[in-house]
């Protein structure tokens, strides 16, 4: 049965040679690279912003998103904890078209003073 199936497929597809396989692989790679290149930076940027706004750890954080093109997205701003900073990076990484995410987010209390300093004891 396997030989018969192989003969039928061979008749339908023609001879399978190294050159035909190489050509098919080149076409596949070209179509994948064209797909990646067609990602609109504005759309990627908007998708990252939406995803950050929808994520429980990153919603409401002052994070700026900038799509630099070629699949590169930059995050900047501040986060209240290293976990929130990491979550923002992971959320952005999950967006199609955001192939490289540069995380410039600073952690409040570690990298910069806290946004909401503790009230002083004067009263």
């Amino acid at each position: 049965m396997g030989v018969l199936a192989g003969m039928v497929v061979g008749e339908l597809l023609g001879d399978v040679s190294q050159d035909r396989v190489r050509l098919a692989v080149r076409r596949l790679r070209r179509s994948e690279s064209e797909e990646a290149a067609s990602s609109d930076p504005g759309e990627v940027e908007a998708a990252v912003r939406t995803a950050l706004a929808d994520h429980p750890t990153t919603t409401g954080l002052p994070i700026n998103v900038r799509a630099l093109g070629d699949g590169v997205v930059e995050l900047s701003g501040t986060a209240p904890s290293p976990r929130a900073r990491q979550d923002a990076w992971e959320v952005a990484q999950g967006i199609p078209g955001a192939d490289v995410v540069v995380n410039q987010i600073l952690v409040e209390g570690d990298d910069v003073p806290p946004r909401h300093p503790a009230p002083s004891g004067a009263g």
Side-chain angles (χ1 to χ4, degrees), residues 87 110 112 119:
D87 286 350
D110 290 346
V112 294

Side-chain angles (χ1 to χ4, degrees), residues 36-98:
S38 68
S39 294
D40 177 26
E43 290 176 11
V44 173
E45 192 173 294
V48 171
R49 278 195 185 106
T50 299
L52 290 171
D54 292 344
H55 192 275
T57 310
T58 58
T59 187
L61 293 181
I63 296 174
N64 300 311
V65 179
R66 210 170 59 150
L68 305 174
D70 294 330
V72 179
V73 174
E74 179 186 61
L75 303 177
S76 62
T78 58
S81 67
R83 179 74 250 165
R85 178 185 193 275
Q86 179 69 22
D87 286 350
W89 180 80
E90 289 174 2
V91 166
Q93 280 284 123
I95 301 301

